[in-house]
Amino acid sequence: PAPPLVVPSVLPADFSRLGDEVRELCEAGADRIQWDVMDGVFVPDLTFGPDVVAAAREHSTVGFEAHLMVADPDALLERYVEAGCELVIVHAEACTHLHRTLARIRGLGARSGVALNPHTPADTVAHVLDETDLVLAMTVNPGFGGQSYIPAVEPKIATLRRMIAESGRPVELEVDGGITDRTIRAASAAGAGVFISGSWMYAYPDGKKAAVERLRTAAAE
Ligand code: DX5
């Protein structure tokens, strides 16, 4: 199997030093960087507008992905692609016309992703895998960093892995929420290949580079 990808979330960063924080994540070996975009409606918190992401873009040597935890993703897609996000992830729960939204993301020149909340079944993506470059199985209820991993999502991760294999398409399977060097083992064993980490990584005593390396090792254990 492909080596695990470690994608830090910027959510725990010091927002007064975003350029430096992004540079540190790149130096730590991040494969990509995830922007947790929250609109205060789909989830209670309110975070990064596209201008903030654009301002940080020049400080990064790795790609940006936008995780749009927003009620109306279609209204924002273009701005986050223009801000420099090469991958845009929308929540299936926020998309009345998910197939069209995913096609629109690709039409804008970015890769498309669809996120599923813990309660949302894997079958939700059964008919859109040909429009999808990544499926994100949330392992917490979105909206906050620092929450506990939800093991009940693991059967869904395994189901998604099978669906992707049967589709024959190069769709990445990502997990986000409560990922540590311990929970990453079960998520990886269930079939996830891309791991978002926020609070655990920022709290790691030996620094971010050691945290990224620890996650890579633990995913393969
Ligand atoms: C949830 C966010 C968080 C964040 C990572 O809305 O998406 O999952 O990316 O947070 P941790 O790693 O602290 O759970």
Side-chain angles (χ1 to χ4, degrees):
L5 298 184
V6 175
V7 180
S9 159
V10 184
L11 201 58
D14 173 353
F15 293 171
S16 73
R17 300 174 48 250
L18 272 180
D20 295 340
E21 293 271 27
V22 161
R23 198 174 308 114
E24 282 171 32
L25 290 174
C26 296
E27 287 159 4
D31 289 295
R32 289 197 296 263
I33 289 172
Q34 184 180 88
W35 294 84
D36 285 300
V37 177
M38 301 180 188
D39 66 355
V41 178
F42 185 76
V43 293
D45 204 348
L46 190 55
T47 58
F48 315 104
D51 295 347
V52 174
V53 176
R57 189 71 196 81
E58 65 188 84
H59 299 279
S60 181
T61 54
V62 302
F64 282 178
E65 61 179 67
H67 174 194
L68 299 185
M69 290 169 271
V70 303
D72 183 4
D74 282 299
L76 291 168
L77 299 179
E78 198 153 359
R79 298 197 57 195
Y80 282 92
V81 173
E82 283 168 3
C85 296
E86 65 180 34
L87 169 59
V88 176
I89 303 168
V90 296
H91 267 266
E93 302 87 0
C95 295
T96 307
H97 306 288
L98 179 59
H99 188 278
R100 179 186 295 147
T101 299
L102 294 168
R104 272 196 64 213
I105 294 170
R106 284 184 166 172
L108 291 166
R111 294 195 299 140
S112 63
V114 50
L116 304 176
N117 282 339
H119 75 283
T120 304
D123 273 354
T124 308
V125 299
H127 307 293
V128 295
L129 284 179
D130 57 347
E131 294 295 338
T132 305
D133 297 300
L134 175 143
V135 177
L136 166 50
M138 292 300 293
T139 43
V140 295
N141 291 294
F144 310 93
Q147 300 178 90
S148 298
Y149 171 86
I150 301 172
V153 176
E154 283 163 20
K156 176 165 64 170
I157 297 169
T159 301
L160 287 166
R161 173 51 67 206
R162 274 198 308 279
M163 290 168 63
I164 290 167
E166 283 159 15
S167 76
R169 293 180 175 280
V171 180
E172 292 184 14
L173 183 47
E174 179 174 283
V175 290
D176 175 355
I179 297 299
T180 70
D181 60 344
R182 299 182 58 75
T183 58
I184 195 169
R185 289 197 188 97
S188 176
V194 187
F195 304 92
I196 302 293
S197 181
S199 49
W200 180 84
M201 198 183 146
Y202 275 78
Y204 197 66
D206 297 340
K208 296 189 183 77
K209 186 170 177 56
V212 170
E213 287 162 1
R214 177 73 197 113
L215 287 176
R216 284 217 179 89
T217 307
E221 277 171 359

